[in-house]
Amino acid sequence: MTAIIKRELSSYFNSAIGYIVLAVFTFFSGLFFYMYCLLSNTTSMSYVFLSMLMIVVLVIPIITMRSFSEERKQKTDQALLTAPVSLTQMVLGKFLGAFLLYCICNAVYLIYIFILACYNSPDWAVFLTTMLGMLLMGGALIAIDLFISALTESQVIAAVISIGVGLLIYMLDSLSNLISTEWFTNFLHNISFDAHFTNFINGIINLTSVIFFLSVIAIFLFLCVRVFEKRRWS
Amino acid sequence: MIEVQNLVKRYGGVKAVDHISFTAESGEVVGLLGPNGAGKSTTMNIITGYIGATEGTVLIDGVDILESPKAAKAKIGYLPEQPPLYQDMTVRRWLEFIFDLKKVRLPKKEHVAEVMEIVKISDVADRVIRNLSKGYRQRVGLAGALMGNPPVLILDEPTVGLDPKQIIDIRKLIKSLGKKHTIIFSSHVLSEVSAVCDRIVMINNGKIVADAKTDELSEAVSGSGVLMLEVDGSVSAVRDAIGAVEGVKRVSKGAGQTYTVEYESGCDVRRGIFFALSKAGCPILMMRAGGLTLEESFLKLTQGGED
């Protein structure tokens, strides 16, 4: 499994993808940091994080689009599937590879918080819960997009569907207000990433939200394994 | 050792592999021979655990590939038809990745260097795979299969697309590897299979049509032995003399002074023919074991004796 994680991470930086993702992430977070923190003289980074949600939804498909689709197209999955590695280990390896790249992207926030710390002491607890929220939510999106990538042979299709699904998830909360059926509104609200993420931004580690994101990760990685299992037997 | 028992693979209503059984003993090189689409690659993919079989079992050194896939896969080195290489890695990096992936317990640097030496790719060790020629890629793929010295090697058409020199190199390599490994090797080039393999398993339409030692195959297929002769003398005298020898089934005249003699398999008619012809005063200018060439047996089997 570590072999796969290592290979995934190095492949991001062997190609331009890793650098582009890092650059986009840094550029927009820097822009938002300047707009919401430096210009308005505040140490609260909550608006930065809220604005970054959109960027995360757009960037993660770029990270995950080739994970499985390209392997299948180039038939390199044969090396993985005939090696003494279980499907679960393979999928976990791919997930952790993408997740680590996402973590590296998020490291940029550390720079901002230290800049803020030079001027006034920021609320470290809130910062940490928010980071936890960012990582959990990102992980959930990565798992969903990996599953999408496992379904197709084309990177472009994987990316487009992933972005579509990501945007839909992003809008779930606003969509839920349009619906008058109460149980359905509640349902949409409960599966909305936005709503769960807001808890973390407010400095609350809500167990429900933590379990929610972890379950999304587990379910979609499991589905990913099933895709390969099914392909083997059909 | 590889034991394949009653393998069946159905795709929808089509049987790609239909009750295939064979074994490969340790240190044996078995050639899987068949026309395109015969089910060679499917069989190999099942043996290596890449796809599942509809029915049947595969045992690698007694370990079932379905029941304990990790243990079985650890014993196999697989070179698929298209080598599964990550284009963005250098040769060395890719081999190190396979080394880690297979969890090989040998000194890493030395082992990678040793394998590169065996397949002669040390000179391209630090080049990116994307920029390598087809022949080199094939060899890099083979190096991946050899990583960790697995007892079983499965090679799917390893010589396709190579130039003649490379083909000869790879054949030599497979032959030398065959001393230490059990090898299953597929091809649709007959001369190659006969040059490299101890045994040949012929597949057509997903079924085994022949399974025999390489040198016995043509006899097994035709059911009789064949001798080619060149004899000086009148045709009728030669025919009569040979025809009278015990065991001879048929004599047919070829071009010039050549004759083809079919005899019942199992009996040696050469001495009888020699004395009969010498008695008739017809000197033998040439005598050799003919037999169907592999090509002829192959066609005979795969076309189901239409001709």
Side-chain angles (χ1 to χ4, degrees), chain A residues 5-186:
Chain A
I5 300 176
K6 245 166 78 184
R7 137 80 204 158
E8 281 303 298
L9 258 188
S10 73
S11 85
Y12 289 126
F13 292 103
N14 278 344
S15 65
I17 290 182
Y19 299 101
I20 290 175
V21 165
L22 269 177
V24 168
F25 210 87
T26 312
F27 174 78
F28 282 101
S29 59
L31 190 68
F32 294 143
F33 175 67
Y34 178 70
M35 282 161 59
Y36 297 123
C37 292
L38 297 185
L39 283 186
S40 24
N41 289 322
T42 169
T43 56
S44 158
M45 282 175 68
S46 54
Y47 281 111
V48 177
F49 285 112
L50 276 176
S51 314
M52 279 306 284
L53 280 188
M54 180 63 138
I55 307 299
V56 170
V57 161
L58 294 177
V59 158
I60 286 185
I62 310 297
I63 300 181
T64 57
M65 63 179 185
R66 38 162 286 290
S67 285
F68 289 117
S69 52
E70 190 66 6
E71 294 258 357
R72 198 167 153 211
K73 197 170 180 186
Q74 306 280 351
K75 299 205 168 158
T76 45
D77 57 342
Q78 269 182 317
L80 297 179
L81 294 173
T82 58
V85 179
S86 69
L87 287 176
T88 318
Q89 282 174 321
M90 183 189 85
V91 170
L92 263 183
K94 289 269 178 190
F95 171 76
L96 289 176
F99 186 66
L100 278 178
L101 176 63
Y102 177 70
C103 289
I104 297 173
C105 290
N106 277 288
V108 73
Y109 295 122
L110 291 175
I111 302 175
Y112 304 146
I113 197 81
F114 282 118
I115 293 177
L116 291 180
C118 295
Y119 297 102
N120 197 348
S121 99
D123 194 336
W124 287 98
V126 170
F127 176 72
L128 289 179
T129 56
T130 311
M131 284 306 280
L132 178 70
M134 275 305 259
L135 295 185
L136 281 173
M137 191 200 59
L141 273 175
I142 289 174
I144 294 173
D145 292 353
L146 273 183
F147 169 67
I148 294 168
S149 169
L151 291 176
T152 167
E153 257 183 52
S154 153
Q155 293 190 45
V156 178
I157 292 178
V160 170
I161 296 181
S162 298
I163 289 176
V165 170
L167 288 178
L168 191 69
I169 290 173
Y170 182 72
M171 296 191 311
L172 267 187
D173 217 26
S174 354
L175 282 182
S176 68
N177 297 329
L178 300 176
I179 292 159
S180 50
T181 323
E182 202 190 327
W183 66 268
F184 197 58
T185 310
N186 283 339

Side-chain angles (χ1 to χ4, degrees), chain B:
Chain B
M1 192 174 129
I2 308 163
E3 289 173 84
V4 177
Q5 292 156 0
N6 272 321
L7 225 51
V8 179
K9 179 71 183 175
R10 271 194 209 94
Y11 288 113
V14 186
K15 273 186 185 169
V17 171
D18 190 1
H19 292 97
I20 282 186
S21 308
F22 63 91
T23 49
E25 302 293 336
S26 330
E28 195 174 31
V29 182
V30 173
L32 219 50
L33 190 63
N36 293 324
K40 299 184 302 266
S41 292
T42 310
T43 308
M44 293 184 138
N45 280 334
I46 294 173
I47 295 175
T48 53
Y50 180 57
I51 55 174
T54 315
E55 286 169 39
T57 49
V58 175
L59 301 177
I60 311 290
D61 276 344
V63 183
D64 193 313
I65 189 91
L66 271 187
E67 279 170 18
S68 22
K70 269 197 200 174
K73 284 175 184 174
K75 293 174 188 291
I76 301 176
Y78 181 34
L79 172 65
E81 206 170 347
Q82 191 185 334
L85 309 172
Y86 288 118
Q87 308 281 326
D88 57 343
M89 289 174 124
T90 64
V91 172
R92 194 191 304 278
R93 279 282 185 81
W94 186 77
L95 290 176
E96 285 173 355
F97 164 68
I98 296 293
F99 183 96
D100 292 337
L101 192 66
K102 288 188 175 178
K103 301 187 188 85
V104 181
R105 286 170 207 278
L106 292 165
K108 190 168 173 178
K109 256 194 168 157
E110 288 80 2
H111 185 60
V112 169
E114 183 194 330
V115 169
M116 286 200 289
E117 203 52 52
I118 294 176
V119 296
K120 300 197 182 80
I121 51 171
S122 308
D123 49 331
V124 294
D126 294 307
R127 280 178 56 185
V128 178
I129 291 174
R130 185 188 296 120
N131 301 330
L132 293 182
S133 69
K134 168 107 176 104
Y136 267 115
R137 285 184 199 187
Q138 198 76 29
R139 279 191 267 171
V140 174
L142 188 57
L146 288 173
M147 201 48 73
N149 286 326
V152 171
L153 287 178
I154 313 276
L155 312 173
D156 197 353
E157 305 200 348
T159 56
V160 163
L162 303 185
D163 67 41
K165 166 131 194 342
Q166 293 168 329
I167 291 181
I168 291 169
D169 284 348
I170 292 243
R171 279 186 205 165
K172 268 189 199 155
L173 181 60
I174 292 172
K175 243 190 148 140
S176 67
L177 290 171
K179 286 168 195 151
K180 280 191 261 169
H181 306 256
T182 310
I183 300 180
I184 295 185
F185 151 89
S186 82
S187 177
H188 51 239
V189 183
L190 298 139
S191 55
E192 177 168 290
V193 173
S194 60
V196 174
C197 303
D198 305 318
R199 242 182 62 221
I200 295 179
V201 175
M202 274 195 196
I203 298 185
N204 191 35
N205 291 330
K207 289 191 180 114
I208 290 189
V209 287
D211 178 355
K213 286 248 159 63
T214 307
D215 36 2
E216 293 167 2
L217 186 73
S218 58
E219 202 173 309
V221 170
S222 59
S224 55
V226 176
L227 275 182
M228 308 293 289
L229 288 167
E230 195 177 341
V231 187
D232 194 8
S234 75
V235 179
S236 57
V238 173
R239 272 178 182 278
D240 291 346
I242 299 176
V245 176
E246 196 182 331
V248 170
K249 285 205 293 204
R250 205 157 60 117
V251 185
S252 45
K253 170 97 171 55
Q257 295 178 313
T258 62
Y259 299 85
T260 310
V261 180
E262 274 181 50
Y263 59 93
E264 282 162 28
S265 61
C267 63
D268 193 346
V269 294
R270 288 173 298 181
R271 283 173 193 81
I273 290 175
F274 174 82
F275 288 121
L277 285 174
S278 102
K279 214 173 181 182
C282 307
I284 297 176
L285 306 176
M286 184 274 293
M287 181 193 298
R288 66 174 172 88
L292 293 174
T293 61
L294 265 175
E295 259 84 1
E296 285 165 335
S297 357
F298 182 63
L299 288 176
K300 187 169 171 183
L301 285 169
T302 52
Q303 291 170 357
E306 285 160 21
D307 45 2

